[in-house]
Amino acid sequence: MDPNNPNKNKRSTPEYALYQRENFWKPNTGEVPPFNTEPGKLEELAKEKLTQGGWYYASSNAGQSYTHLANRQAFYRHKIIPRQLIDTNLRDTSTTIFGHKVSAPIGFAPIGINKIYNPAGEIPVATVAKELNLPYCLSTAGSNPIEAVAAANGEGPRFYQLYMPHDDELTISLLTRAHRSGFTACILTTDTWQLGWRHDDIATGNYAFYRGIGADLGLSDPVFKQRLQAAGIDPVKQPKEAGAMWIDNVWHGRAHSWEKMPWLIKTWKEISGGKPFCLKGIQSVNDAKRAVDIGCDGIVVSNHAGRQVDGAIASLDALENIVAAVGDKTYIMYDSGIRGASDVAKALALGAKFVWVGRLWVWGLSIMGEAGVRHVMKSLLADFDIFMNVAGFQNVQQIDRSALESYPKGYAMIAEKSKL
């Protein structure tokens, strides 16, 4: 690729595709690319680097992983139709989400307990998100204080994912901290009142919070500090008990219902001055319609990457149904099963406005910390930029339903195993 291409100075977004050339050139200077970002090889390398507990928590899915399998199968039935002789020299990978112009329709999905993947936790991830101008979403199960993550993210666009306690004062405290720290949207996850049945984690008692690891976001909360004091728990001397008390307030096993949503939306809007509120975990058309009816600014079509309900509908199939029903009524985002630029494009073509990526950057974090996250996400941006160039798309808006040829849902009735 010509590094002196004059078009790169005229584009509204960087020439991310040049990262390909940068890696091709490295052997000439006695260097090698950091590691292979092919998803299967990326996963294998992460497994080599992680502890058993870190690997199990990152890789485990609900039950026999059939929902995880369905997520990948759904992508295979849609095929991209490349377009030729299109002038893509000034292509624009950017999009806008909730008022933020970002580098691409790709964000860092909320994933908790990052300290089991790297001692610095969420800090390196938020740092790279800022550098690349990609939205970062912090999980309530995060292992660094909200304020510390915000500082690392600087001026980057960031949203807060809420696991809602049954303690309203604690919920208000979390949302207030998020708003004061510059998080500009609240995304409530609706599918994880408690963790799904994940065989490897359960067989090894693999729950970091119960080992006193990863509860810093909660332990730094002023209201939760009061709760610890009232319970007579010293987080310094009793880290396991403190961690357990925190996560038992987050993944508490006590479902919230639609009746609680007006209070939450009103509370967030009052705290934030009217900033967006979204629901994450929507898979049914009826739930999507109800989310619109109660005033949600957006929804994330997600099945938690197959980690919560085994044998469930593929998230990409759910996306098609939901877009047909409410695609013109709310901002639809997609999550679950993204492994590369073509997957991003397929979700966009099916009607998503934005796509969240999770496991890919977790593997990068596990392998090489901040540098690993940077390599994975720069590679994904390069992949997406190159995709638009060679498939003939000048901007993200052109990636619509006409870009795909789709086939029937002919998934095998006998489960096929796939690590991808």
Side-chain angles (χ1 to χ4, degrees):
M1 184 176 184
D2 181 6
N4 300 313
N5 180 351
N7 294 303
K8 72 178 183 180
N9 298 319
K10 301 175 185 177
R11 288 183 59 180
S12 57
T13 50
E15 194 98 337
Y16 296 115
L18 280 171
Y19 194 55
Q20 179 192 64
R21 187 183 192 277
E22 181 182 326
N23 282 281
F24 281 157
W25 190 259
K26 282 184 182 294
N28 291 337
T29 56
E31 302 174 275
V32 293
F35 49 81
N36 194 327
T37 55
E38 190 279 321
K41 293 175 181 176
L42 185 66
E43 183 179 282
E44 289 170 359
L45 184 55
K47 183 177 181 180
E48 292 175 11
K49 298 286 186 177
L50 287 168
T51 63
Q52 182 188 67
W55 165 250
Y56 280 161
Y57 188 77
S59 64
S60 289
N61 302 301
Q64 297 181 71
S65 293
Y66 293 157
T67 304
H68 176 256
L69 172 64
N71 283 339
R72 294 302 302 145
Q73 286 176 321
F75 279 99
Y76 303 150
R77 75 180 184 89
H78 299 286
K79 307 299 181 183
I80 293 160
I81 306 170
R83 310 188 303 175
Q84 304 305 317
L85 295 174
I86 305 295
D87 184 355
T88 56
N89 291 307
L90 301 181
R91 61 194 177 278
D92 184 350
T93 62
S94 71
T95 194
T96 301
I97 178 170
F98 300 137
H100 301 281
K101 185 176 181 181
V102 296
S103 298
I106 298 167
F108 289 74
I111 293 180
I113 339 177
N114 286 187
K115 283 189 176 178
I116 65 175
Y117 311 124
N118 184 273
E122 289 74 21
I123 301 302
V125 188
T127 299
V128 173
K130 172 198 171 184
E131 288 178 11
L132 300 179
N133 189 34
L134 296 176
Y136 173 80
C137 193
L138 173 64
S139 169
T140 298
S143 47
N144 292 97
I146 293 172
E147 297 77 10
V149 176
N153 192 237
E155 297 302 313
R158 54 183 174 272
F159 310 142
Y160 182 69
Q161 176 271 331
L162 176 68
Y163 287 120
M164 185 163 61
H166 277 272
D167 179 337
D168 288 350
E169 188 180 358
L170 179 54
T171 297
I172 291 169
S173 180
L174 292 169
L175 295 180
T176 300
R177 292 172 66 198
H179 168 62
R180 289 176 178 172
S181 297
F183 291 81
T184 57
C186 174
I187 302 177
L188 173 71
T189 292
T190 60
D191 61 10
T192 312
W193 312 128
Q194 72 181 82
L195 299 186
W197 188 265
R198 305 172 190 171
H199 291 288
D200 288 337
D201 284 332
I202 293 160
T204 55
N206 186 38
Y207 205 39
F209 295 106
Y210 283 8
R211 309 286 92 76
I213 299 168
D216 293 31
L217 191 150
L219 300 183
S220 58
D221 189 89
V223 171
F224 189 68
K225 287 179 180 178
Q226 294 173 13
R227 302 294 185 264
L228 284 172
Q229 186 175 22
I233 296 174
D234 182 336
V236 176
K237 297 178 180 178
Q238 300 169 281
K240 296 176 184 177
E241 291 78 3
M245 184 172 173
W246 164 243
I247 204 60
D248 289 348
N249 269 271
V250 173
W251 293 327
H252 37 62
R254 298 161 56 201
H256 288 289
S257 67
W258 289 102
E259 287 69 31
K260 185 69 174 181
M261 293 304 98
W263 174 86
L264 180 59
I265 294 172
K266 178 175 180 289
T267 298
W268 168 248
K269 296 285 185 179
E270 288 176 350
I271 289 170
S272 67
K275 289 186 168 56
F277 177 87
C278 309
L279 294 181
K280 177 178 181 286
I282 302 300
Q283 293 283 275
S284 82
V285 168
N286 286 339
D287 286 345
K289 289 179 177 178
R290 195 155 186 182
V292 171
D293 290 343
I294 65 172
C296 290
D297 300 289
I299 58 175
V300 183
V301 177
S302 167
N303 58 30
H304 220 102
R307 290 164 66 80
Q308 286 301 101
V309 178
D310 196 23
I313 182 174
S315 196
L316 199 69
D317 291 341
L319 175 67
E320 280 191 275
N321 300 336
I322 288 168
V323 167
V326 300
D328 59 345
K329 298 180 176 66
T330 192
Y331 189 87
I332 297 179
M333 297 163 276
Y334 179 81
D335 169 275
S336 298
I338 297 291
R339 294 295 182 269
S342 64
D343 293 339
V344 173
K346 289 175 184 181
L348 296 175
L350 292 172
K353 301 298 183 187
F354 193 84
V355 171
W356 295 100
V357 173
R359 275 180 167 139
L360 292 180
W361 66 256
V362 164
W363 300 143
L365 178 67
S366 304
I367 295 165
M368 202 178 282
E370 182 178 313
V373 176
R374 184 177 294 107
H375 179 53
V376 166
M377 296 306 284
K378 285 183 71 174
S379 297
L380 182 59
L381 282 173
D383 188 10
F384 188 65
D385 191 24
I386 292 170
F387 165 83
M388 291 180 64
N389 194 20
V390 299
F393 296 98
Q394 297 164 313
N395 55 57
V396 170
Q397 291 70 36
Q398 290 181 356
I399 307 175
D400 59 18
R401 196 63 181 81
S402 68
L404 297 181
E405 178 167 290
S406 301
Y407 301 94
K409 299 174 184 176
Y411 310 140
M413 300 306 292
I414 297 175
E416 303 160 346
K417 292 297 183 181
S418 171
K419 66 183 177 184
L420 302 183

